[in-house]
Amino acid sequence: MIEKHHGELTEGCKRCAKGEKLVLFVTGLCPRNCLYCPLSQEKKNKDVVFANEQQISSPQELIEEVKLSGATGAGITGGDPIARLHRTCEFISKLKEQFGKDFHIHLYTSLNLLTEEKIAKLEAAGLDELRIHPDLDSRDEWPKLDLLKDLKIETVIEVPAIPKKEKQILELINYAKDKVKAFNLNELELAQTKIPEFAKQGWKTDKDTVTIKDSEKTALNIIKKARGWHVRIHYCSARFKDEIQFIERIKHYAHLAALPTDIITESGTLLRGAIYSSIKPLQEKFPKETFTQDKDRILASAKFVKTHFKELPKCAIIEEYPTRDKTEIYKEFLN
Ligand code: SF4
């Protein structure tokens, strides 16, 4: 099972599923310390900003990354983006200014920092969809969900499907069903920085060593039990999020970044030839359009490099991500 929903998906989810959403990590600061928090050491409680995999420091760099990725929207995450409200609103308004009203923006926040005034600022900046992550174990903040009741923007509650928390999640859905427009349940994944905490809770991984046993079963039970309540519920599995959405997102980059000499693979990576020399002697020997200078290497087609490696300086066949960091996933030197 990769995903299941009852009722219409939100616009944020529709575009995310097509890989059209840029992930804007606006800060690692957060007032909560959830047992299952997935943040890495590099991001947790650090006031850093990332646009997809790229660390950035200005709205201009964000706009550049949107252009490179071909995104038609952004999902703003953290930490808690409201912990840096001014920065978040600036990013939202700059994105809307540059890419227009149809550029869809959703934002994740815990309930802790939410106030009427802050929601108004996010709306004024142009936010389209607000996703709230309430604490399942403490109801102290739940009454704040009343703030969402009459908002025009899409409002969603999004929580992980934690095994043995079926009752609490159903109580939350029942409590909030007249206050928000939709619910998202995510498959729980092992947080690499929280392995002892997961063990203590008895949350064991499936065979894939990533997803937590019975999380999917919990989500599907909840969807079944909430059926009569006529609420929109969507279950998003880890596989759907990490593989399918990621591959779709990478493919968007690939179509924009690929040179005419590259091959775009099924998973969105680029297959290309790389020659480690200067371009001039190569252009004297072969047609100029065979080569593209790329920082400290010359790019050509994989076929060209394979055919001519005996006449070329040091060269390789490479497969790499089309993103700015160009992470190599395969490299074979031919000479
Ligand atoms: S609210 Fe999100 S970022 Fe904050 S601690 Fe919980 S999981 Fe981590």
Side-chain angles (χ1 to χ4, degrees):
M1 170 84 51
I2 52 171
E3 60 118 23
K4 184 175 175 74
H5 54 268
H6 181 64
E8 202 193 340
L9 282 179
T10 69
E11 185 60 24
C13 281
K14 283 183 196 164
R15 295 202 198 187
C16 189
K18 288 192 269 175
E20 291 180 4
K21 282 265 175 169
L22 175 131
V23 182
L24 174 58
F25 181 92
V26 98
T27 179
L29 304 179
C30 180
R32 298 253 301 268
N33 187 21
C34 305
L35 270 174
Y36 45 78
C37 182
L39 292 193
S40 63
Q41 297 287 11
E42 292 72 42
K43 288 180 174 169
K44 190 153 180 79
N45 292 325
K46 308 264 164 52
D47 196 15
V48 288
V49 187
F50 283 82
N52 287 340
E53 290 74 24
Q54 190 67 31
Q55 186 161 6
I56 60 162
S57 55
S58 68
Q60 287 65 37
E61 283 178 274
L62 170 62
I63 284 163
E64 187 59 25
E65 195 60 34
V66 173
K67 286 181 183 164
L68 285 173
S69 68
T72 69
I76 304 182
T77 182
D80 191 335
I82 294 189
R84 284 290 176 262
L85 185 67
H86 178 76
R87 181 189 297 163
T88 300
C89 288
E90 191 190 2
F91 281 139
I92 295 173
S93 45
K94 287 275 189 298
L95 286 169
K96 288 283 183 180
E97 215 175 282
Q98 179 77 28
F99 300 106
K101 241 178 117 190
D102 191 49
F103 189 86
H104 187 276
I105 304 176
H106 70 273
L107 173 142
Y108 300 88
T109 181
S110 69
L111 206 44
N112 303 46
L113 300 177
L114 210 64
T115 63
E116 199 170 356
E117 199 194 346
K118 288 173 186 170
I119 296 174
K121 283 188 177 162
L122 291 165
E123 280 186 311
L127 186 71
D128 297 292
E129 188 174 315
L130 186 58
R131 297 196 186 178
I132 310 290
H133 172 208
D135 192 337
L136 289 173
D137 295 317
S138 155
R139 294 180 172 214
D140 297 355
E141 304 277 344
W142 288 17
K144 276 198 201 167
L145 291 169
D146 277 330
L147 296 173
L148 310 176
K149 224 171 168 180
D150 299 317
L151 295 184
K152 290 208 177 67
I153 57 171
E154 190 81 290
T155 48
V156 183
I157 283 186
E158 180 156 327
V159 288
I162 302 174
K164 303 205 190 98
K165 295 261 186 218
E166 197 176 307
K167 187 169 160 271
Q168 287 93 324
I169 298 172
L170 280 163
E171 280 168 3
L172 173 64
I173 296 172
N174 194 24
Y175 179 88
K177 64 183 190 308
D178 303 319
K179 308 180 200 304
V180 297
K181 301 189 178 91
F183 295 86
N184 278 359
L185 302 173
N186 292 325
E187 186 171 21
L188 185 62
E189 287 178 75
L190 178 66
Q192 291 306 326
T193 55
K194 301 256 179 193
I195 292 173
E197 286 88 341
F198 271 59
K200 209 167 152 197
Q201 295 298 319
W203 298 337
K204 297 199 177 97
T205 53
D206 280 313
K207 272 192 211 122
D208 60 15
T209 71
V210 177
T211 54
I212 299 301
K213 247 190 196 114
D214 292 337
S215 174
E216 178 162 292
K217 201 167 122 200
T218 303
L220 299 183
N221 278 344
I222 290 168
I223 293 181
K224 209 162 139 197
K225 287 186 181 160
R227 242 174 196 264
W229 297 345
H230 305 291
V231 287
R232 290 157 68 195
I233 305 190
H234 172 224
Y235 164 61
C236 190
S237 73
R239 211 189 126 220
F240 188 65
K241 207 156 30 94
D242 300 341
E243 290 177 27
I244 298 174
Q245 290 174 1
F246 178 74
I247 290 172
E248 289 309 313
R249 187 158 67 73
I250 291 297
K251 280 184 184 166
H252 286 285
Y253 270 101
H255 287 289
L256 292 170
L259 300 170
T261 47
D262 290 334
I263 293 172
I264 302 176
T265 69
E266 270 188 12
S267 50
T269 53
L270 300 176
L271 195 63
R272 42 184 36 173
I275 307 159
Y276 303 91
S277 74
S278 56
I279 198 163
K280 220 165 160 225
L282 295 171
Q283 285 179 331
E284 282 163 8
K285 209 165 163 190
F286 300 99
K288 275 189 175 166
E289 60 279 12
T290 311
F291 310 105
T292 305
Q293 179 79 54
D294 181 55
K295 288 190 182 155
D296 53 353
R297 60 187 188 170
I298 315 293
L299 295 173
S301 72
K303 191 177 168 197
F304 172 84
V305 171
K306 248 185 184 169
T307 314
H308 296 279
F309 71 93
K310 284 186 185 149
E311 309 156 69
L312 295 172
K314 191 174 162 196
C315 63
I317 302 285
I318 52 175
E319 186 183 341
E320 62 188 18
Y321 280 110
T323 46
R324 252 201 277 189
D325 55 8
K326 296 179 180 164
T327 305
E328 285 177 355
I329 49 177
Y330 174 79
K331 187 176 207 170
E332 183 191 344
F333 282 104
L334 300 176
N335 52 10

